[in-house]
Amino acid sequence: APIDIATCLVKSTLFGRVIGLVATFTGFRVPRATEAVGAATTTTMVRCVIAILVADLILTKLFLIVEAS
């Protein structure tokens, strides 16, 4: 159905933006030390997963409301 294609396009675009923003935000705050890069990578991954899960929940609820009407 066309609504499913639109849903996929909107979600994938938003998820890509979330990953980029979270990674940039975390990357700018990394201290200049070798050990900090590994810790920042782990922190970025955890934050991205949580942000994507929350965004997916919100978008799914939103699209279910739009589809029902």
Side-chain angles (χ1 to χ4, degrees), residues 16-69:
R17 289 175 188 249
V18 165
I19 291 169
L21 288 173
V22 170
T24 303
F25 177 80
T26 306
F28 278 138
R29 285 159 178 70
V30 176
R32 292 186 159 262
T34 308
E35 302 85 20
V37 174
T41 304
T42 304
T43 302
T44 300
M45 288 302 300
V46 171
R47 287 180 180 172
C48 283
V49 168
I50 292 171
I52 288 174
L53 286 174
V54 170
D56 190 33
L57 173 71
I58 292 169
L59 287 174
T60 300
K61 292 288 186 182
L62 181 74
F63 282 122
L64 285 175
I65 291 169
V66 169
E67 191 175 330
S69 59

Side-chain angles (χ1 to χ4, degrees), residues 3-23:
I3 189 72
D4 294 330
I5 295 170
T7 301
C8 290
L9 290 174
V10 169
K11 281 186 173 185
S12 62
T13 302
L14 183 74
F15 294 163
R17 289 175 188 249
V18 165
I19 291 169
L21 288 173
V22 170

